[in-house]
């Protein structure tokens, strides 16, 4: 028996509202879409008639509680948020954080977030599993802010948008974590996903647009004085239908000092150490040459040995062992790549690329 199905007396209504753990106990489960079910509205009307203070046996306190529950139910339906969502409130926004992570990275978990900005909007919050990694979250926030402020405006689509960086203290333990709230990216797949879906490697003509966009991304970051430092397949996301690319996870990034030198990359992705250049393992200074090396290795990885001779030669020049011998200008490198691609395949044209369901 549920309140949305069974007529109630005043006493039954009072008991139901008083003992309800959350609005679903009164109005039924949340629907799959953002439309309030007719049965829920009917249940609210019945309860409101029975408990209204002007009704014999009505109760002002219970009516107020009922009204609050109904408001919360409607907000949950229209905002597609759960009753068990954790709410994080900052000076700028209130974030409803889902209880189950969307994904887990090397040091952090990503949880779904909904917040109001006129309409309800989707985002993700990236929370380190250990407070020891708060500095990595701070590095990511610093990098993304710097790229947005100093990088080419036309290249912004290649980077996640940082909504804000927050400090969240666990009320139970007192532990403080640095978390980053980022725009949610739907329809994207990592190059690791692409390789799993195409174990024999993607056609080099499809890898060409991924390579081009990746070079634009690392070049734009370098112009803002930022080195990503972890350009591995899991951190390169592509949108198959739109041929979009976003370079994510800037936790390992470093920024240039006034003297235009950069410190070493603080850590390596453990299972991708074979994709790093020697200067990272040796804790030498990082530069755009580091990112160009790793971007090239990502393309070699996703094509799985299918690059033709001319592109293999181009890739070798981008991934030379000595950093000083590698190219240092991503835009100039893009022009060279386009010349090789045109010699191989003719004028550039759109090739549909799909991922299996």
């Amino acid at each position: 028996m549920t309140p949305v199905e069974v007529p109630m007396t005043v006493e039954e209504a009072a008991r139901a509202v008083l003992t309800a753990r959350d609005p679903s106990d009164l109005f039924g489960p949340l629907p799959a879409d953002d439309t309030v079910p007719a049965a829920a509205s009917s249940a609210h009307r019945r309860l409101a008639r029975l408990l209204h203070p002007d009704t014999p046996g009505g109760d002002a306190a219970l009516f107020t509680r009922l009204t609050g529950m109904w408001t919360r139910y409607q907000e949950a339906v229209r905002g597609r948020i759960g009753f068990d969502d954790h709410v994080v409130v900052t000076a700028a926004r209130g974030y409803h954080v889902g209880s189950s992570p969307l994904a887990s990275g090397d040091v952090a978990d990503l949880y779904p977030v909904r917040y109001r900005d006129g309409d309800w909007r989707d985002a993700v919050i990236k929370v380190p599993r250990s407070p020891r990694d708060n500095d990595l979250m701070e590095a990511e926030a610093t990098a993304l802010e710097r790229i947005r402020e100093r990088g080419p405006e036309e290249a912004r689509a290649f980077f996640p948008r940082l909504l804000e960086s927050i400090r969240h203290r666990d009320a139970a333990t007192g532990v403080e974590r640095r978390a980053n709230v980022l725009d949610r990216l739907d329809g994207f797949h990592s190059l690791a996903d692409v390789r799993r879906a195409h174990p024999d490697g993607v056609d080099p003509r499809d890898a060409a647009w991924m390579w081009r966009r990746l070079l634009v991304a690392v070049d734009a970051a370098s112009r803002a004085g930022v080195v990503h430092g972890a350009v591995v397949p899991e951190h390169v996301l592509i949108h198959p239908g739109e041929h979009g690319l976003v370079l994510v996870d800037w936790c390992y990034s470093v920024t240039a000092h006034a003297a235009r030198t950069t410190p070493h990359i603080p850590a390596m992705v453990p299972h991708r150490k074979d994709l790093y250049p020697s200067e990272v393992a040796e804790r030498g200074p990082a530069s755009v040459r580091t990112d160009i090396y790793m971007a090239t290795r990502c393309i070699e990885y996703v094509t799985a040995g299918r690059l033709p001779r001319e592109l293999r030669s181009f890739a070798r020049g981008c991934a030379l062992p000595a950093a000083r011998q590698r190219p240092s200008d991503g835009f100039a490198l893009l022009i060279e790549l386009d010349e090789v691609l045109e010699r191989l395949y003719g004028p550039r044209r759109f090739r549909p690329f799909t991922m299996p369901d």
Side-chain angles (χ1 to χ4, degrees):
M1 290 178 31
T2 66
V4 294
E5 297 172 351
V6 180
M8 292 181 291
T9 64
V10 173
E11 292 76 15
E12 289 172 330
R15 185 166 55 251
V17 172
L18 190 62
T19 60
R21 294 162 299 177
D22 63 50
S24 65
D25 288 341
L26 299 174
F27 313 117
L30 292 171
D33 58 19
D34 58 0
T35 304
V36 175
S41 298
S42 177
H44 171 251
R45 287 194 298 270
R46 179 181 296 276
L47 289 165
R49 283 197 301 268
L50 291 168
L51 295 177
H52 195 280
D54 295 340
T55 302
D59 186 295
L62 287 177
F63 185 79
T64 299
R65 177 174 167 82
L66 170 66
T67 301
M69 286 275 202
W70 180 237
T71 299
R72 193 173 157 210
Y73 182 86
Q74 293 177 96
E75 283 280 290
V77 171
R78 291 170 181 151
R80 298 199 304 278
I81 56 178
F83 298 128
D84 58 348
D85 284 358
H86 182 62
V87 180
V88 176
V89 179
T90 71
R93 303 175 183 88
Y95 298 103
H96 291 261
V97 184
S99 57
S100 300
L102 288 170
S104 293
D106 306 312
V107 298
D109 296 320
L110 273 72
Y111 291 87
V113 164
R114 297 218 92 206
Y115 68 96
R116 270 195 179 280
D117 185 7
D119 296 326
W120 283 95
R121 299 185 183 277
D122 292 306
V124 296
I125 188 167
K126 186 174 181 178
V127 185
R129 288 186 289 276
S130 169
R132 292 192 303 271
D133 293 323
N134 283 345
D135 60 330
L136 299 182
M137 298 298 109
E138 186 172 359
E140 177 171 70
T142 298
L144 292 176
E145 287 171 350
R146 183 163 178 151
I147 290 170
R148 191 161 190 86
E149 291 169 0
R150 305 187 185 189
E153 188 172 346
E154 62 272 16
R156 285 181 177 175
F158 297 106
F159 310 100
R161 186 167 75 97
L162 179 73
L163 295 177
E164 64 178 309
S165 187
I166 63 177
R167 297 183 185 276
H168 178 61
R169 186 178 297 276
D170 190 303
T173 64
V175 172
E176 184 178 271
R177 284 181 170 82
R178 179 77 174 258
N180 293 332
V181 185
L182 306 158
D183 264 351
R184 184 163 174 170
L185 298 169
D186 290 320
F188 282 80
H189 303 266
S190 73
L191 291 190
D193 295 333
V194 173
R195 175 65 187 270
R196 280 190 290 269
H198 301 271
D200 295 329
V202 301
D203 190 307
R205 290 170 293 177
D206 295 316
W209 63 262
M210 304 175 197
W211 202 344
R212 297 186 75 258
R213 285 153 179 73
L214 194 47
L215 285 177
V216 172
V218 299
D219 179 72
S222 74
R223 292 178 189 276
V226 180
V227 179
H228 185 281
V231 186
V232 298
E234 288 77 8
H235 299 164
V236 181
L237 305 187
I238 60 109
H239 193 292
E242 297 178 5
H243 281 199
L245 182 143
V246 179
L247 185 54
V248 302
D249 202 338
W250 293 78
C251 291
Y252 303 100
S253 63
V254 292
T255 55
H257 297 313
R260 302 196 63 78
T261 60
T262 56
H264 59 77
I265 302 301
M268 299 168 69
V269 177
H271 70 287
R272 293 296 187 192
K273 290 183 177 180
D274 59 319
L275 300 184
Y276 283 81
S278 59
E279 66 264 21
V280 177
E282 295 166 2
R283 301 178 73 80
S287 70
V288 65
R289 292 178 170 93
T290 307
D291 283 349
I292 287 174
Y293 178 105
M294 298 189 76
T296 305
R297 298 301 308 278
C298 280
I299 298 302
E300 290 176 328
Y301 167 84
V302 82
T303 51
R306 293 185 61 182
L307 289 177
R309 179 180 57 80
E310 294 89 340
L311 287 176
R312 286 201 307 273
S313 177
F314 180 85
R316 276 196 301 272
C318 297
L320 292 168
R324 66 181 182 277
Q325 295 178 334
R326 293 179 222 137
S328 61
D329 186 325
F331 185 74
L333 196 58
L334 174 62
I335 294 173
E336 291 182 36
L337 175 61
D338 282 344
E339 290 172 352
V340 176
L341 291 170
E342 186 165 0
R343 287 198 300 271
L344 278 170
Y345 304 119
R348 214 162 57 233
R349 59 183 180 273
F350 185 85
R351 277 176 54 89
F353 181 74
T354 59
M355 286 282 287
D357 294 333

